[in-house]
């Protein structure tokens, strides 16, 4: 299975309301998110916008795409309709100048950056024999280098915030060889994102910047998944991006939804873990209709 992005698709019913009751707010906070023009990224941004957050969107889609609905500009309209302020920026997380420009634009427009969300990510689940090296390079460039670069360039602003946060959509570092054996190239790329969380959390302890990762327990319905071979059938067992939006909100508001982990940084949360700690007991409103016992588990767990 291949797709250009595993966290930025859009699909029907992606904005279904869930049972999460927020205990905190992101009002007035400035969030810089990569790849937020659709899907999970847009769902997270829209949820933050409902609190009155400022959202800086950096994504490649400036013009309508044949297979992916929405652009960074239509996403900004949705964010502003939800109650937030939006700054849409066409840019590629692989391009140093684009990322530096996004950070500078966020600081100029909103006076700083409080939160960075590393959402942009490419996926190719091919076995080693069949993975194209251009796809390998794409995953390394977007997933690993892009996450590192955006986090790095935003650090001065995050330190200035006084309560800076980085949230990366990447899995727990599960070293069961099963996952590397199934799709080595993709596993290395996603674990590179997670290693960035692990390393920066330790490095930034003295700066008061928290760094965490969030990952779904089940498959999430995105256009990226739908565009894969057999994707339309696969997503019947998925949840909508709303569950990740609510979970991210709980993490970013540092509410009592966060499970006891012994540390405010360096955690690898799952959506169910965070929301269960917030009091959610019924996750069925997040699904697209499949019974809970027939949902497709996500990988790496």
């Amino acid at each position: 299975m291949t797709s250009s992005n595993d966290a930025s698709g859009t699909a029907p019913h992606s904005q279904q309301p869930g049972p999460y009751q927020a205990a905190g707010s992101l009002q007035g906070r400035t969030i810089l998110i990569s790849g937020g023009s659709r899907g999970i990224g847009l769902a997270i941004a829209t949820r933050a916008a409902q609190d009155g957050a400022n959202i800086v969107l950096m994504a490649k889609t400036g013009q309508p795409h044949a297979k992916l609905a929405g652009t960074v500009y239509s996403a900004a309209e949705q964010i502003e309709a939800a109650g937030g302020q939006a700054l849409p920026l066409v840019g590629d997380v692989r391009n140093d100048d684009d990322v530096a420009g996004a950070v500078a634009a966020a600081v100029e427009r909103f006076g700083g950056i409080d939160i960075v969300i590393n959402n942009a990510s490419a996926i190719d689940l091919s076995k080693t024999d069949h993975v194209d090296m251009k796809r390998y390079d794409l995953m390394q460039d977007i997933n690993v280098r892009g996450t590192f670069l955006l986090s790095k360039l935003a650090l001065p602003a995050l330190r200035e915030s006084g309560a800076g946060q980085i949230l990366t959509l990447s899995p727990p570092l599960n070293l069961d060889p099963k996952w590397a054996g199934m799709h080595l190239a993709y596993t290395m790329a996603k674990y590179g994102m997670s290693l960035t969380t692990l390393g920066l959390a330790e490095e930034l302890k003295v700066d008061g910047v928290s760094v965490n990762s969030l990952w779904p327990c089940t498959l999430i319905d995105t256009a990226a998944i739908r565009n894969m071979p057999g994707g339309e059938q696969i997503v019947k067992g998925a949840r909508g991006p709303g569950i990740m939006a609510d979970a991210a909100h709980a993490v970013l508001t540092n509410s009592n939804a966060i499970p006891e982990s012994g540390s405010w940084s360096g955690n690898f949360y799952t959506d169910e873990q965070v929301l269960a700690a917030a009091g959610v007991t019924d996750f069925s409103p997040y699904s697209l209709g499949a019974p809970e016992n027939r949902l497709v588990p996500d990988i790496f767990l």
Side-chain angles (χ1 to χ4, degrees), residues 66-157:
K67 293 185 178 180
L68 301 173
T71 68
V72 68
Y73 302 111
S74 63
E77 292 174 357
Q78 180 174 319
I79 287 165
E80 291 178 345
Q85 296 189 64
L87 175 60
L89 302 171
V90 176
D92 190 333
V93 76
R94 296 173 293 174
N95 184 294
D96 294 19
D97 290 340
D98 286 357
V99 177
V103 170
V107 173
E108 180 179 1
R109 170 73 179 273
F110 297 114
I113 300 171
D114 300 299
I115 297 166
V116 166
I117 300 177
N118 291 301
N119 167 72
S121 184
I123 180 172
D124 186 331
L125 300 181
S126 300
K127 295 285 189 180
T128 301
D129 281 337
H130 301 293
V131 68
D132 184 277
M133 289 310 294
K134 288 184 179 180
R135 296 290 306 179
Y136 177 93
D137 291 342
L138 180 70
M139 288 190 288
Q140 288 292 324
D141 284 348
I142 294 177
N143 300 10
V144 188
R145 190 181 189 278
T147 294
F148 184 90
L149 178 65
L150 181 57
S151 301
K152 167 186 166 65
L153 296 186
L155 286 182

Side-chain angles (χ1 to χ4, degrees), residues 167-189:
L167 182 64
T168 297
L169 302 190
S170 66
L173 287 166
N174 184 346
L175 295 183
D176 184 336
K178 167 184 176 181
W179 301 116
M182 287 182 67
H183 28 66
L184 178 57
Y186 180 61
T187 299
M188 288 193 292

Side-chain angles (χ1 to χ4, degrees), residues 31-274:
I31 300 172
L32 171 57
I33 181 169
S34 64
S37 60
R38 56 181 70 89
I40 294 173
L42 180 55
I44 292 173
T46 302
R47 179 63 187 85
Q50 291 171 6
D51 288 355
N54 307 316
I55 311 296
V56 182
L57 294 167
M58 185 183 69
K60 292 189 299 180
T61 310
Q63 299 294 327
H65 190 283
K67 293 185 178 180
L68 301 173
T71 68
V72 68
Y73 302 111
S74 63
E77 292 174 357
Q78 180 174 319
I79 287 165
E80 291 178 345
Q85 296 189 64
L87 175 60
L89 302 171
V90 176
D92 190 333
V93 76
R94 296 173 293 174
N95 184 294
D96 294 19
D97 290 340
D98 286 357
V99 177
V103 170
V107 173
E108 180 179 1
R109 170 73 179 273
F110 297 114
I113 300 171
D114 300 299
I115 297 166
V116 166
I117 300 177
N118 291 301
N119 167 72
S121 184
I123 180 172
D124 186 331
L125 300 181
S126 300
K127 295 285 189 180
T128 301
D129 281 337
H130 301 293
V131 68
D132 184 277
M133 289 310 294
K134 288 184 179 180
R135 296 290 306 179
Y136 177 93
D137 291 342
L138 180 70
M139 288 190 288
Q140 288 292 324
D141 284 348
I142 294 177
N143 300 10
V144 188
R145 190 181 189 278
T147 294
F148 184 90
L149 178 65
L150 181 57
S151 301
K152 167 186 166 65
L153 296 186
L155 286 182
L158 292 173
R159 291 188 181 103
E160 279 291 317
S161 166
Q165 297 185 68
I166 298 172
L167 182 64
T168 297
L169 302 190
S170 66
L173 287 166
N174 184 346
L175 295 183
D176 184 336
K178 167 184 176 181
W179 301 116
M182 287 182 67
H183 28 66
L184 178 57
Y186 180 61
T187 299
M188 288 193 292
K190 291 306 290 189
Y191 281 12
M193 297 174 74
S194 298
L195 281 171
T196 303
T197 291
L198 188 69
L200 284 179
E202 184 68 19
E203 183 178 343
L204 300 176
K205 277 182 178 179
V206 296
D207 296 316
V209 177
S210 68
V211 189
N212 296 292
S213 281
L214 179 66
W215 193 247
C217 286
T218 68
L219 187 70
I220 301 297
D221 181 19
T222 66
I225 299 298
R226 288 177 177 264
N227 287 336
M228 291 180 174
E232 291 291 338
Q233 184 65 30
I234 294 171
V235 295
K236 291 180 179 179
R239 286 174 174 153
I243 189 170
M244 287 290 284
D246 284 349
H249 186 275
V251 173
L252 295 173
T253 54
N254 291 314
S255 70
N256 58 10
I258 304 301
E260 289 294 332
S261 63
S263 176
W264 51 275
S265 185
N267 300 295
F268 294 90
Y269 297 120
T270 64
D271 53 0
E272 287 186 11
Q273 175 193 25
V274 170

